[in-house]
C-alpha cells in the first residue's frame, strides 16, 4: 500500500481550512493530519505532525506565513510548503518563493488544482497556479527591457541610496532619477522601493548584472 502524503492546512479562516481539508480528504493518497489557524501552532506541532506538505496562508494574526515558512524549513528542510493566498502581485509571489516556499496557489483556483499543486511539490517540482504565473510574466519580460541606465539606477537604489545620492553619483537631475524609478516600478510590476531592492537581490543585480 502506498504511503499517504501527510498534509497540514494552516489558515485562520475556518471555512477556507475546512473546505481545503474536505477537497484533499476525498483523495485516497492524501491524509490531512491537521488544520491549524496560525504559523506558531504549526511550528509548535511540527515534530508531532510530521507533514510532507503544508498549505500555508500568508496573512494570519500572530506569526504570518512567510516567517513561519522560514522557521519550519530551518527545523524540517524536507517539508514542502505551498503558499495559499488571495494576493496575485509579483512582489508577494517572488517573496514567498525566496522564503523557501515550493509553490504559490491563489485561493480562488479550481478545487482539483490544489491536489495538482500538492502532487507537484511532492514530486520535487515548483508549482505556480495559472494566476500566479501570469502575474510573474511582466517581471520576466521586463528584465530584457531594462535599459542600461535603468539597470544602473536600479543598482544604486538597491544599495540604499536616495534619489539625490543617485543623481550626484550619475551626474543627472533628481527628476531624471525619479523618472527612472517610476519606469522601473512600472516595468517590473513593483509598487515599492523595498520591492525594487528585493528584486535586485533575487536577480543578481547587486552582483554586477541581471541574471
Amino acid at each position: 500500500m502506498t504511503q499517504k502524503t501527510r498534509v497540514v492546512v494552516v489558515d485562520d479562516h475556518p471555512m477556507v481550512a475546512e473546505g481545503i481539508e474536505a477537497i484533499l480528504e476525498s483523495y485516497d493518497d492524501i491524509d490531512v493530519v491537521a488544520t491549524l489557524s496560525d504559523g506558531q501552532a504549526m511550528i509548535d506541532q511540527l515534530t508531532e505532525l510530521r507533514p510532507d506538505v503544508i498549505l500555508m496562508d500568508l496573512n494570519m494574526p500572530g506569526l504570518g506565513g512567510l516567517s513561519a515558512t522560514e522557521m519550519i524549513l530551518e527545523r524540517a528542510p524536507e517539508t514542502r510548503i505551498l503558499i495559499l493566498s488571495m494576493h496575485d502581485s509579483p512582489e508577494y509571489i517572488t517573496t514567498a518563493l525566496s522564503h523557501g516556499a515550493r509553490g504559490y496557489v491563489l485561493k480562488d483556483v479550481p478545487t482539483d488544482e490544489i491536489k495538482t499543486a500538492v502532487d507537484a511539490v511532492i514530486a520535487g517540482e515548483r508549482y505556480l497556479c495559472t494566476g500566479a504565473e501570469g502575474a510573474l510574466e511582466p517581471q520576466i519580460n521586463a528584465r530584457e527591457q531594462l535599459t542600461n541606465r535603468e539597470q544602473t539606477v536600479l543598482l544604486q537604489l538597491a544599495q540604499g541610496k536616495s534619489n539625490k545620492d543617485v543623481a550626484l553619483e550619475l551626474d543627472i537631475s533628481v527628476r531624471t532619477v525619479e523618472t527612472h524609478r517610476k519606469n522601473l516600478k512600472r516595468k517590473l510590476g513593483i509598487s515599492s522601493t523595498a520591492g525594487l531592492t528585493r528584486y535586485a537581490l533575487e536577480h543578481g543585480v547587486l552582483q554586477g548584472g541581471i541574471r
Side-chain angles (χ1 to χ4, degrees):
M1 184 176 163
T2 311
Q3 192 172 1
K4 290 188 175 186
T5 299
R6 296 173 64 83
V7 176
V8 176
V9 182
V10 186
D11 195 301
D12 62 315
H13 296 96
M15 284 180 67
V16 173
E18 288 163 16
I20 292 169
E21 179 183 19
I23 292 161
L24 294 177
E25 282 286 6
S26 69
Y27 294 94
D28 294 337
D29 58 344
I30 286 185
D31 183 12
V32 179
V33 294
T35 57
L36 305 171
S37 59
D38 65 80
Q40 189 60 54
M42 181 66 257
I43 288 164
D44 292 344
Q45 297 179 57
L46 186 61
T47 307
E48 176 193 341
L49 294 172
R50 297 177 292 106
D52 300 307
V53 178
I54 300 171
L55 288 160
M56 178 90 71
D57 190 13
L58 267 187
N59 300 340
M60 294 178 286
L63 190 68
L66 290 179
S67 300
T69 294
E70 284 194 323
M71 294 167 76
I72 289 162
L73 293 175
E74 281 172 11
R75 293 162 171 76
E78 71 286 353
T79 309
R80 273 81 163 190
I81 297 178
L82 269 168
I83 294 296
L84 275 174
S85 179
M86 296 179 297
H87 303 286
D88 64 355
S89 81
E91 280 184 72
Y92 275 96
I93 301 163
T94 54
T95 304
L97 297 175
S98 71
H99 277 68
R102 299 299 296 271
Y104 196 100
V105 178
L106 297 174
K107 289 187 179 181
D108 60 358
V109 298
T111 54
D112 58 350
E113 190 162 357
I114 295 174
K115 173 64 162 66
T116 304
V118 170
D119 288 345
V121 297
I122 278 293
E125 300 166 14
R126 189 177 84 165
Y127 188 86
L128 297 177
C129 72
T130 308
E133 271 191 325
L136 283 185
E137 275 173 12
Q139 276 199 329
I140 294 161
N141 297 334
R143 276 181 239 165
E144 322 306 324
Q145 298 167 7
L146 293 185
T147 65
N148 287 337
R149 178 59 96 187
E150 283 168 350
Q151 291 190 42
T152 305
V153 170
L154 177 58
L155 174 62
Q156 299 283 326
L157 294 172
Q159 291 169 344
K161 293 181 180 174
S162 67
N163 287 355
K164 189 175 177 184
D165 292 337
V166 177
L168 286 169
E169 179 80 25
L170 302 180
D171 195 24
I172 54 179
S173 71
V174 173
R175 181 168 288 181
T176 301
V177 176
E178 286 170 355
T179 301
H180 283 312
R181 188 195 287 256
K182 280 180 189 166
N183 287 341
L184 284 165
K185 287 179 179 176
R186 179 179 52 78
K187 284 185 176 183
L188 298 174
I190 291 171
S191 58
S192 66
T193 301
L196 288 177
T197 303
R198 203 158 47 231
Y199 177 91
L201 285 166
E202 287 167 9
H203 295 91
V205 177
L206 293 172
Q207 280 74 48
I210 290 184
R211 292 203 289 267

